[in-house]
Amino acid sequence: MPASRLGRTPLPGIGIRYDLTTREHRRLSVVAHRDGARTLSAYRSDDPDECALSLRLSSGEAEALIDALMPSHHSPTLLHTTDLGLVAERVLLSATSYWNGRLLGETRMRTETGVSIVAVLRRADAIPSPAPDFRLAGGDTLIVIGTREGVETAATILGRE
């Protein structure tokens, strides 16, 4: 049975759209709005382009649904979450990443997402507080901290091929 697939599409001025095709070939999408709201949509199985259900959830409702679907302590990349709404996660930089060999400052991460890259894990070394002139390499694991939305946007930016 094939694995599910998840795609991300930045929606300028709105947020990020996540599209999931399940192992059973069902399509779901979630639009993560910048204000914290979420729009959850499910598509018809006989016509995957036609929406069968669309719900707009407040940020609190979305958090409750997330907790029901996947408790945060089960995330393989999540390092920590706070009551203030900040999360710390690992983001792997692929060998084919656009950022491989570029300077950390070129990502404009804090300006673009509001998140901070607080450390880089490279092989057996940890580089805390990397400076803007730190050169990224494929295989690096970046430790980022910020809001959930900011961290997701950072992962999208860092995932650029």
Side-chain angles (χ1 to χ4, degrees):
M1 183 176 275
S4 59
R5 294 176 298 144
L6 180 66
R8 298 178 186 196
T9 306
L11 303 173
I14 298 172
I16 299 174
R17 177 183 166 143
Y18 299 90
D19 292 295
L20 174 71
T21 302
T22 69
R23 290 183 296 180
E24 297 172 343
H25 305 286
R26 299 294 308 263
R27 284 190 51 226
L28 300 170
S29 72
V30 174
V31 174
H33 298 270
R34 295 175 77 176
D35 66 359
R38 302 289 189 261
T39 300
L40 171 67
S41 299
Y43 297 88
R44 293 174 50 130
S45 59
D46 59 336
D47 184 354
D49 293 326
E50 187 172 337
C51 189
L53 170 72
S54 184
L55 300 171
R56 186 171 172 103
L57 305 171
S58 70
S59 62
E61 293 166 335
E63 288 178 22
L65 181 59
I66 290 166
D67 285 343
L69 292 172
M70 177 119 179
S72 60
H73 62 277
H74 289 163
S75 173
T77 60
L78 182 66
L79 297 172
H80 185 70
T81 185
T82 71
D83 291 338
L84 300 173
L86 298 175
V87 296
E89 286 201 10
R90 297 181 192 105
V91 178
L92 177 66
L93 202 67
S94 77
T96 59
S97 172
Y98 170 82
W99 303 108
N100 186 5
R102 296 183 185 267
L103 299 178
L104 177 61
E106 293 179 67
T107 65
R108 300 178 39 83
M109 194 58 61
R110 189 172 309 173
T111 301
E112 299 296 325
T113 67
V115 307
S116 296
I117 297 173
V118 297
V120 175
L121 308 178
R122 181 175 288 168
R123 296 182 189 99
D125 296 325
I127 300 108
S129 303
D133 63 348
F134 179 84
R135 193 164 299 279
L136 297 168
D140 284 350
T141 298
L142 287 68
I143 307 299
V144 299
I145 187 166
T147 63
R148 164 60 57 209
E149 292 80 15
V151 168
E152 289 173 359
T153 302
T156 298
I157 291 170
L158 294 168
R160 180 177 168 196
E161 299 278 324

